[in-house]
Amino acid sequence: MKNIKNKILVTGGAGYIGSHTCIALHEADYDMVVYDNLSNSSREAINRVSTLIGQPIDFIEGDIRDADSLRQVFAAHQFFGVIHFAGLKAVGESVAKPLMYYDNNVNGTITLLKVMAEHEVSNLVFSSSATVYGDPEVLPITEESPRSSTNPYGQSKLTVEHILEDLALSDNRWSLIPLRYFNPVGAHPSGQIGEDPNDIPNNLMPYISQVAVGKLDQLSIFGNDYPTVDGTGVRDFIHVTDLAQGHVAALNYLTQQQQGLGFLPINLGTGKGTSVLELLTAFSAVSGQNIPFRFVERRAGDIASCYASADKAQALLGWKASLSITDMCQDTWHWQSINPNGYNIA
Ligand code: NAD
Ligand code: WQD
């Protein structure tokens, strides 16, 4: 007999982190329904996840801002909880199109929460981000560090966190866990799923891998005068499959609770900082490719260093990242080299 604590709605489950998490959920014996409007993903990702797990995915194409569509999904399934990945994530685009970002990320989440409340589903794992810490004064960053934001994307994540805090205060049945991801990179070790940016990548790892595979000419490194080990920015890169396991750990924790947990933010990072040059060197070594680069001006809005304290995740969830920078580069390279055009197989 199926345990009703096992059924999870995964919004945004066709995306980069969501698709990897679907595999981890399946391996941990959770059932899932994926709900995604495919605005930044493709059916091919769903097909590949189905192949990897050896069974069809229960997939619904829909928008989280569409309350009626969500209601139909909640009426058809008895969910234990929701993992909420759906949202837009490009910082630069959010500056150009703030209303689109607030509408998707904030209004979309409010609609989802309303429908959850109507159906008495009170467990939520939300994709938050280290961006809510702004420019951190103290490293490593703990969950108690001050929060701020410098762009509409970050503000949308921070606003959702505030909404979740207010909601938790209003009714003690809610358990609302924002997982604050640091810098997710890497791909599934099969090479079948990975990050597939629509356009020229904004983020470092996909940019490096597209230079390595010959799609882009050279990497521009934004600044070499930061107060870091080699002058380039330092980040806490975390393998996407470790991140996926963090979601399973959060759900497992929720299934053990007898009452609402309230608002419980948790960092998902490795606790280690790696510089841009260090990542580039590691990628070159793993791929055997020469990756041309040049130093350019700092990118507006960038910070020097950012890495997590991952202690709370370990203490509460028993979760700890296990994969190295070499693993992250190897799996990214595997995915990129066998899928030079991502999911666009035409
Ligand atoms: P992604 O774009 O690959 O996945 C997001 C998915 O949500 C996509 O499949 C997209 O089609 C879907 N979506 C967007 N708006 C929707 C809507 N209104 N209704 C239904 N579906 C919608 O991004 P990702 O990297 O997998 O990120 C997942 C979540 O994690 C996002 O909320 C993102 O902000 C957050 N996050 C990502 C990173 C990162 O660096 N990748 C870091 C921190 C936080
Ligand atoms: C990492 C480092 C760059 C590209 C962003 C979002 C954040 C979160 C994760 C969602 C920095 C340098 C980059 C390039 C470079 N997303 N870089 N050349 O900025 O830490 O975080 O993604 O929540 O909100 O802001 O990640 O990968 O863009 O940059 O030199 O072409 O690489 O300057 O030091 P970032 P990133």
Side-chain angles (χ1 to χ4, degrees), residues 5-10 30-33 79-81 83 251:
K5 285 194 169 181
N6 276 9
K7 199 166 215 183
I8 309 298
L9 177 67
V10 185
Y30 285 97
D31 272 349
M32 67 230 153
V33 174
F79 293 119
F80 168 70
I83 306 185
L251 278 181

Side-chain angles (χ1 to χ4, degrees), residues 6 13 20 23 28 58 65 73 75 118 155 158 187 233 277 283 285 288 297 303 318 320:
N6 276 9
H20 289 81
I23 292 173
D58 197 344
R65 293 163 297 179
V73 178
E118 284 168 20
Q155 189 63 41
L158 199 47
L277 274 179
F283 201 99
E297 288 297 295
I303 56 178
K320 194 176 184 305

Side-chain angles (χ1 to χ4, degrees), residues 60-122:
I60 296 149
E61 187 171 344
D63 195 297
I64 50 165
R65 293 163 297 179
D66 182 345
D68 287 337
S69 163
L70 277 179
R71 282 191 187 105
Q72 281 179 25
V73 178
F74 277 80
H77 303 273
Q78 198 179 354
F79 293 119
F80 168 70
V82 178
I83 306 185
H84 177 33
F85 293 105
L88 301 175
K89 63 166 180 179
V91 172
E93 187 184 50
S94 81
V95 175
K97 298 177 180 171
L99 295 180
M100 187 168 108
Y101 271 67
Y102 286 118
D103 187 39
N104 243 282
N105 295 3
V106 180
N107 283 341
T109 303
I110 292 173
T111 304
L112 172 67
L113 290 165
K114 282 184 181 165
V115 177
M116 286 176 68
E118 284 168 20
H119 292 82
E120 297 184 352
V121 176
S122 55

Side-chain angles (χ1 to χ4, degrees), residues 259-308:
Q259 55 199 28
L261 283 172
F263 176 80
L264 186 70
I266 300 179
N267 288 342
L268 291 185
T270 64
K272 290 189 221 73
T274 301
S275 77
V276 172
L277 274 179
E278 286 168 343
L279 188 70
L280 182 65
T281 306
F283 201 99
S284 244
V286 157
S287 63
Q289 304 297 307
N290 174 40
I291 304 172
F293 69 93
R294 64 187 175 128
F295 292 115
V296 299
E297 288 297 295
R298 291 179 177 192
R299 183 172 66 180
D302 271 358
I303 56 178
S305 296
C306 170
Y307 52 91

